[in-house]
Amino acid sequence: MSTPQLPDNLLAELLDWDESSPREHFDAMGRLFESLSTPEEIIALVQCWWSDADHNVQALGFDLLAVQALDFAWHVPPLIEAANALVLATTHEHVRWSAAHALAVICDDERMLSPLLRFAGDPNPDVRWQVAYGIPAVVDPLPEDAVQVLLKLMRDPDAQVRDWATMALGSREDNDSPEIRDAFIERLEDPEADTAGEAAVALAMRHDDRILPTLKRVLATPSVGNLYVEAAAGLGDPQLLPLLQKLKAGGWQEDEPRPHVLDQALDACASGRPLLA
């Protein structure tokens, strides 16, 4: 099938975006995707873009496959093939970001994992974040190569990368080892509050009692974040009950819509049965 021909002004519009207008860009890509009649037309267009000399055009090929990531499967093999073909050391960062992003948004296909991990050492933190964010949800537990990547990203200079890496590994309860637990202990002192809270939840899920002193200290603070209350529910230690009761009496409110987390923590610690067990 021949490559669909786009009006010159449409291509110019698709290229005219930056970090301040991603929604508009991907909305436009979505409209283009829906205007094409068949998968063959879409693949022909992205392959044409991937072969273009302009790196901004190359990136469009990945962006087009990213906009309908959860609705199709036929685009997965060509996407993986194109992403794996990139020579990362010489590929422009716009293309690297778009490729990593296209892989990361397909969270329900385990085939995404290996090609996505290739981008974990990227010099651009926005690309590394795509790796931490995009680990496929269907891969649980994670294989050892993914665990080692996330352990490294948990020590990343970028706070958002550390946060998402900590959450991604922390949520895989079956990935458990002294090395993993020690990495979460290290993150308890992270200057990024959400990262430290995610580490607390991860340790509680693994019933690591080393989290207890931290929970005692933090739960004594009226402004404690909900992640630490969630961790208390996961640990289910009766020693935390008086602190949780004080929060309840003081009218503590969740800082994000997670209803009843305090009541769940109270029940878990009163019964000694961890909620996350």
Side-chain angles (χ1 to χ4, degrees):
M1 176 175 289
S2 61
T3 303
Q5 296 300 307
L6 303 182
D8 289 342
N9 64 323
L10 176 56
L11 181 59
E13 290 174 8
L14 294 175
L15 292 170
D16 185 22
W17 75 285
D18 57 30
E19 61 184 15
S20 68
S21 55
R23 181 183 294 275
E24 293 81 359
H25 172 66
F26 284 101
D27 284 348
M29 299 300 295
R31 290 190 294 271
L32 172 60
F33 189 104
E34 292 170 358
S35 73
L36 298 171
S37 301
T38 66
E40 289 78 14
E41 278 192 321
I42 295 169
I43 296 303
L45 179 56
V46 299
Q47 289 178 337
C48 177
W49 280 344
W50 286 333
S51 64
D52 197 282
D54 186 338
H55 64 263
N56 291 307
V57 177
Q58 295 169 22
L60 291 180
F62 292 105
D63 292 348
L64 187 60
L65 294 187
V67 295
Q68 299 288 336
L70 299 180
D71 296 329
F72 301 96
W74 48 261
H75 67 311
V76 169
L79 170 58
I80 291 176
E81 182 179 359
N84 281 340
L86 296 178
V87 180
L88 300 184
T90 58
T91 298
H92 194 279
E93 68 176 20
H94 290 175
V95 181
R96 301 196 313 269
W97 182 92
S98 289
H101 172 254
L103 294 167
V105 296
I106 305 177
C107 61
D108 60 349
D109 193 317
E110 64 183 12
R111 290 176 293 177
M112 295 297 104
L113 181 60
S114 291
L116 183 63
L117 294 180
R118 291 186 66 224
F119 295 85
D122 198 277
N124 185 335
D126 291 336
V127 177
R128 300 195 302 275
W129 181 86
Q130 295 292 342
V131 178
Y133 163 78
I135 298 292
V138 294
V139 184
D140 189 9
L142 292 169
E144 185 60 21
D145 58 344
V147 169
Q148 291 303 317
V149 163
L150 288 174
L151 287 172
K152 182 177 180 180
L153 293 178
M154 283 170 61
R155 299 180 174 93
D156 196 272
D158 185 86
Q160 293 303 309
V161 173
R162 295 197 308 275
D163 179 26
W164 280 90
T166 302
M167 181 168 57
L169 185 54
S171 63
R172 267 75 171 189
E173 186 177 357
D174 288 338
N175 286 115
D176 192 13
S177 69
E179 180 185 21
I180 290 172
R181 293 188 182 202
D182 287 349
F184 290 131
I185 291 290
E186 182 181 334
R187 293 275 63 78
L188 290 175
E189 302 301 324
D190 197 287
E192 172 63 36
D194 284 347
T195 303
E198 294 290 354
V201 172
L203 288 163
M205 287 178 64
R206 291 160 176 80
H207 312 299
D208 191 317
D209 289 338
R210 289 180 294 174
I211 189 57
L212 189 57
T214 296
L215 291 181
K216 287 181 176 179
R217 172 176 56 81
V218 178
L219 291 173
T221 306
S223 59
V224 58
N226 67 296
L227 286 171
Y228 292 98
V229 179
E230 183 178 340
L235 194 62
D237 193 305
Q239 296 179 67
L240 301 175
L241 186 59
L243 294 168
L244 295 168
Q245 290 171 332
K246 186 174 181 180
L247 288 176
K248 182 76 171 181
W252 181 87
Q253 296 292 323
E254 294 89 342
D255 58 9
E256 62 181 61
R258 168 73 189 277
H260 311 305
V261 63
L262 180 54
D263 290 337
Q264 291 169 346
L266 285 163
D267 290 344
C269 292
S271 65
R273 293 193 299 270
L275 178 65
L276 302 177

